[in-house]
Amino acid sequence: MDKRNKTQLQRAVGYFHGVTFILSITIGAGIFIAPKGVLKYSSLHVGITLSIWVACAVVSMINALTYAELGTTFPRSGAQYYFLKRSLGAPFFFFCFWTDLFTIPAGMATRTLLLAEYVIQPFYPGCSAPTLPKKCLALAILWSLGILGVQGVKKITWFQTISTAMKTTVLCFIALNGAVLVIRKENLIRLGDAFSSELPNLSQIPEAFFQGLYAYSGWQSMVSIAGEIKNPAKNIPRCISTALSLVTILYLLVNISYLTVLTPEEIMASDAVAMTWADRVIPSYQWIISIGVSTSILSGLLASIFSSSRLWYCASQEGQMPLLFSMLNTHSSPALAVIQTIILASIMIFPSDLIRLINLIGFSGSIEFGLTMIGLIKLRYQEPNLPRPFKVHLLFALGTFIMTFLLVLIPIIQSPKMYHIYVLFFILSGFLLYLVFVYFKFCFGWFNEVTCYLQLLLNISPPDEPEEYISKEITLPKKCSEVSTKI
């Protein structure tokens, strides 16, 4: 059979589209939401705020390069989950999947509402947009992206290329304007005064980090779609390094531009910082910023749908979810996984506290990062001869673990909050579900009929071959061991 006609995920993402994909998912709602949160937990101190942004960039780069080792060692969809199962065991695989099962759609719902706010607000000048039209528009956007998400990787990458070019242009415009305005004497004086604000408490620093790390998040998607990347051993590290370097420079310049034009108090009072900045600098061309922000969030949402559906695909292949979620349509896309992601995000479309939601996502994500670093260190000693095309120093993994451990521990000790209890309850419920549905393999009798019906309805079928995610150096010894066992 011709390989091109097989029903399986296609390796169609090269270096250029890989960099574009990371940029599209990283430069999303974060840069328009997080500046307010970082300022808040930095006690409006500009020096601390900019330091947090730099520190978050360094931490994100270290985390991303560490994850790149996972993606190049096991270049398959949802590589980080397969790695956790192999290093720490199936319960930890399920825990991380269970966490992302809700935090990713929650973040998508929040960004969709923010996008609806930017799109609909020009039709309600001088007042806030009504809630009902905003929700309806958010649902329409979400399901339109879901339809595009089942069309396969090639169509998505071209859409991401165009949208990333648009939003990067807008952010560069903001950054360059800020660079020009900062040389004015009055702006320099106001910016200097902001450096004399009160220093934040120690317990606030992790909260500020969660806000900044949220803006840099998205590089994990490159590891999630490792099964669709050309030459993953070479392209995954290169794409991550290039994209995060560009994002870091852009974010710092944009934040300086915000702080040059607006006071910290004005940024805190604004629900849409970029629009407030545009109203102050270029009020006649405010619509350009609106289009740029909307495009930025839109492409980030599509990238989130694409990468999160591959997590469902991986969980299904590893027996943690029903087989249905790893079945592919004629476009080589896990259609049901995409639909399930959209359904969960649709349910979560409700007015929410963005800053508190980001803290919740950051807290849960830090636990997941910590577990991954433990697994990486353990696998280094457990399987030292495992071929690793890209290998980071163990100090990177150890440093990331210490950082995530402190980010989780300091807020609990210094100022415990109710959402810490919610996260603990959520973790325990995940392990309970693992015992019932995965370990003891409880299954409803009618599920086979539902599986057949959905296969016919969505025109999906299992992949023709198992995903090839282990290099020749690993598979050959495995085959030899099988032969020797039979003999």
Side-chain angles (χ1 to χ4, degrees), residues 32-197:
F32 306 109
I33 299 175
K36 182 175 177 178
V38 175
L39 262 178
K40 175 183 177 181
Y41 291 108
S42 300
S43 298
L44 306 187
H45 193 286
V46 171
I48 299 295
T49 297
L50 295 178
S51 299
I52 292 292
W53 281 101
V54 174
C56 287
V58 174
V59 171
S60 296
M61 182 66 79
I62 293 174
N63 290 349
L65 290 176
T66 307
Y67 263 59
E69 179 176 328
L70 313 184
T72 54
T73 306
F74 308 108
R76 56 162 296 163
S77 299
Q80 66 270 43
Y81 292 117
Y82 173 80
F83 163 80
L84 281 170
K85 182 180 179 181
R86 183 159 177 166
S87 59
L88 298 180
F92 293 95
F93 174 108
F94 187 84
F95 158 70
C96 292
F97 174 71
W98 172 250
T99 302
D100 290 342
L101 188 65
F102 292 95
T103 55
I104 291 176
M108 289 169 53
T110 304
R111 283 178 286 168
T112 308
L113 283 170
L114 182 65
L115 173 58
E117 175 76 29
Y118 273 98
V119 172
I120 206 172
Q121 187 58 51
F123 297 97
Y124 296 89
C127 62
S128 299
T131 302
L132 183 59
K134 191 192 306 183
K135 285 184 178 181
C136 292
L137 179 60
L139 287 171
I141 292 170
L142 202 56
W143 281 94
S144 298
L145 291 176
I147 293 171
L148 182 59
V150 300
Q151 298 300 309
V153 62
K154 292 184 179 180
K155 291 185 179 179
I156 292 175
T157 50
W158 280 111
F159 177 84
Q160 296 293 62
T161 301
I162 296 171
S163 59
T164 300
M166 291 177 62
K167 65 183 178 183
T168 304
T169 301
V170 170
L171 286 178
C172 288
F173 177 77
I174 295 175
L176 291 175
N177 271 274
V180 172
L181 293 171
V182 76
I183 63 176
R184 293 184 180 179
K185 185 177 180 180
E186 60 273 17
N187 291 333
L188 284 173
I189 294 174
R190 186 175 71 249
L191 194 61
D193 292 339
F195 277 86
S196 59
S197 302

Side-chain angles (χ1 to χ4, degrees), residues 179-339:
V180 172
L181 293 171
V182 76
I183 63 176
R184 293 184 180 179
K185 185 177 180 180
E186 60 273 17
N187 291 333
L188 284 173
I189 294 174
R190 186 175 71 249
L191 194 61
D193 292 339
F195 277 86
S196 59
S197 302
E198 181 182 354
L199 294 175
N201 297 325
L202 181 63
S203 62
Q204 293 178 287
I205 298 298
E207 310 284 357
F209 258 93
F210 288 151
Q211 301 294 318
L213 290 174
Y214 174 77
Y216 285 101
S217 64
W219 47 263
Q220 303 94 324
S221 61
M222 182 56 58
V223 181
S224 299
I225 65 168
E228 293 164 90
I229 298 175
K230 300 175 183 177
N231 193 4
K234 180 180 178 181
N235 283 329
I236 289 178
R238 289 177 60 202
C239 291
I240 288 175
S241 301
T242 304
L244 281 184
S245 299
L246 293 173
V247 168
T248 300
I249 295 170
L250 198 56
Y251 277 11
L252 284 174
L253 292 176
V254 168
N255 273 281
I256 291 172
S257 182
Y258 286 159
L259 292 166
T260 300
V261 175
L262 305 171
T263 64
E265 291 77 12
E266 288 173 330
I267 293 176
M268 289 301 302
S270 173
D271 290 329
V273 179
M275 296 299 290
T276 305
W277 180 93
D279 187 54
R280 185 70 57 85
V281 178
I282 46 168
S284 301
Y285 297 93
Q286 194 178 31
W287 58 272
I288 297 178
I289 303 299
S290 178
I291 292 175
V293 174
S294 301
T295 304
S296 177
I297 301 173
L298 189 69
S299 63
L301 279 170
L302 181 59
S304 294
I305 293 170
F306 180 74
S307 60
S308 61
S309 65
R310 270 56 183 176
L311 303 182
W312 286 82
Y313 177 87
C314 174
S316 175
Q317 285 202 323
E318 295 301 321
Q320 306 274 5
M321 292 294 291
L323 182 63
L324 269 170
F325 292 102
S326 61
M327 294 186 182
L328 307 178
N329 62 9
T330 54
H331 301 288
S332 296
S333 172
L336 188 61
V338 174
I339 293 171

